[in-house]
Amino acid sequence: MPAKAAYPDDILRMAATLYYVDGLGQTEVAKLVRVSQTKISRLLAAALERGIVRINVEEYHARHDKLEHQLCSRFGLRSAAVIKTARNAGAEAARQTVGHFGAPFVASVFPKSGVVAVGGGRSVAEVVQRFRRGESRRLTVVQAMGSIDSNLSHVDALELGRAMVKLWGGEFLTLSTPAFVSDKKTRDFFLASQQIKFVWQRLRQADAAIVGVGPLDLSVYLERGVLGAADVAHLRGCGAVGEICGRFFDAKGRECASRWRDRVISIELELLKKIPQVIGVAAGPERAPALAGALRGGLLKSLLIDEALAQALLA
Amino acid sequence: MPAKAAYPDDILRMAATLYYVDGLGQTEVAKLVRVSQTKISRLLAAALERGIVRINVEEYHARHDKLEHQLCSRFGLRSAAVIKTARNAGAEAARQTVGHFGAPFVASVFPKSGVVAVGGGRSVAEVVQRFRRGESRRLTVVQAMGSIDSNLSHVDALELGRAMVKLWGGEFLTLSTPAFVSDKKTRDFFLASQQIKFVWQRLRQADAAIVGVGPLDLSVYLERGVLGAADVAHLRGCGAVGEICGRFFDAKGRECASRWRDRVISIELELLKKIPQVIGVAAGPERAPALAGALRGGLLKSLLIDEALAQALLA
DNA sequence: CGTTTATGCGGATAAATATTCTAGTGACAA
DNA sequence: TTGTCACTAGAATATTTATCCGCATAAACG
């Protein structure tokens, strides 16, 4: 099993003892072993690798079991992960924490083989970035929404899908389109294309999906300048409370009949609803109204959110 | 038991998990927990302290059991510690290693209460510096030789004795004299003083002693200019092979009748011989002749030496 | 209550550790 | 022999971590 015997265990034990047990610095250890500090650093790494040094950390329960159960029963979910976050955490920190501790949850919920649809968004990106190479999967990953604007961002579904197949293998079906086009005609033109039809066909067979759930205000679209203040006002007028894959919905989770509806290229909410496992990811209590709407509409089957948001949802 | 609840265990577990298990840097952890990196550093230290994080190192056997047994039976010793050292270790490194791993041995061999004589020397200093505060002892520490020259060095018996009582408590009897004086008359004058007589009385009651064993060449005395080349030649002429507490002895461990003998203020070898537990400390194979002489003369009851020296002794 | 004395925080910075880069060494083939 | 590859080591350097210090808030005291 040890590919290279490199250095005898005895030396590693000695160095590790001097360093970890007796608390000497690497430089001091180096003097005793008569090698460079550089080498001690490498020796210690090897000792950790070989198990001569083992570091045990009391298990940390990142998830809030009680809130998860309440959410599941209250909203009839298949599963939920509520991640504990620092009380005063900012939006970015919360997303990262949710991503970090949520990634294993999502990975466990995803099928080992089959079709998986991915949306974009910052929260989803934080999750996807942290997937670990596990037992190999045989997934067909499908991009569920176009790219938000022309400079490709690492939170676009295109990037996230690419990252997933790079890590887990499998094939990735891309939607080579923007998320928003100027009018219905253009949209219909795209949808009529052979490639897109093929992608949609696969979306209909999806076994699972992971999507971000955005609020109306503070949405990435507003931030990125895709949406203007006037647009937001219009959407609010249509009853919109939140967004999934660029599609806005009202408090009951019904897609709003806004003028944006005809300009978006992404999975329809009605189609999403039919996917047996849809994981909604979000962080921050200000997203509670959006989440509540999505849940009422049955758009999501599972949740990955932070504690504050969970509490807001249950209140 | 926890004097201060400071931070909830949960946070510590989270930080420790992120750092040790997930391999994030402290800066990254800090972002998620929303505190400064500084604090994470302290949190991690606290986690280690509280036992939330435990680091296990496979036990390292610093001592060479087989050589120890051979030495004990060959030379009729009460005990011996042979410390493994790096094959190419220099003299300094060997001494430090012997001191480091030998200190617990010496501490275990020392009585919990009683009178202990201490000699000077670099090897002894390395040992004494590394004693740990254990169960409290009730020792009377007695300086067994004067200071080598006027600028007090941290390897002088005076300093070593001081360090021992500082750590373990107890009283320290000092010999406020140099190790070497100009002639016999001066020496006798010192010895006749009340204070020194008192110290000698205690030395006669000593339950244990720790002394360095020096070679003839390369001795600290030569190095410090106390002895000149001519003196070394003279001593060699008298059959000297080594030195303990400034007293030179021949291959059979008998004190040499050199002109130095009358000028030294330190425990007589004959007196040393009567102490029930005398630990000789030395490092480096070039000291084998000195050690061999001391052992033949029955000057030592226990040994603390490095591997190379042990092998040289047995050869 | 106002004042003084602890305690805890994070920014700046010193110290320690990890990584990069280059040179040296030995194995092997030509 | 000589060149090349594969590898290891340590010096230089970048990065990360620990410590020092002043400030602010909280506790203790008059």
Side-chain angles (χ1 to χ4, degrees), chain A residues 2 4-10 12 45-53, chain B residues 58:
Chain A
K4 39 171 74 177
Y7 257 75
D9 278 15
D10 206 45
L12 263 58
L48 211 59
E49 185 92 9
R50 286 203 220 168
I52 287 172
V53 172
Chain B
E58 270 184 26

Side-chain angles (χ1 to χ4, degrees), chain A residues 56-121:
Chain A
N56 278 302
V57 178
E58 268 184 28
E59 191 167 13
Y60 170 62
H61 284 286
R63 292 169 54 180
H64 204 305
D65 300 352
K66 204 174 143 202
L67 289 177
E68 291 179 2
H69 286 130
Q70 293 180 341
L71 283 169
C72 283
S73 54
R74 174 87 158 270
F75 297 107
L77 293 167
R78 286 186 57 173
S79 59
V82 174
I83 307 298
K84 295 179 195 163
T85 52
R87 257 162 301 289
N88 54 347
E92 184 60 20
R95 263 194 298 274
Q96 288 180 3
T97 306
V98 167
H100 187 92
F101 292 108
F105 164 76
V106 175
S108 76
V109 163
F110 269 1
K112 295 285 167 271
S113 69
V115 179
V116 171
V118 281

Side-chain angles (χ1 to χ4, degrees), chain B residues 253-267:
Chain B
R254 293 168 308 202
E255 189 167 352
C256 298
S258 79
R259 48 185 197 243
W260 281 94
R261 184 172 188 173
D262 297 330
R263 295 174 48 193
V264 67
I265 297 174
S266 70
I267 190 168

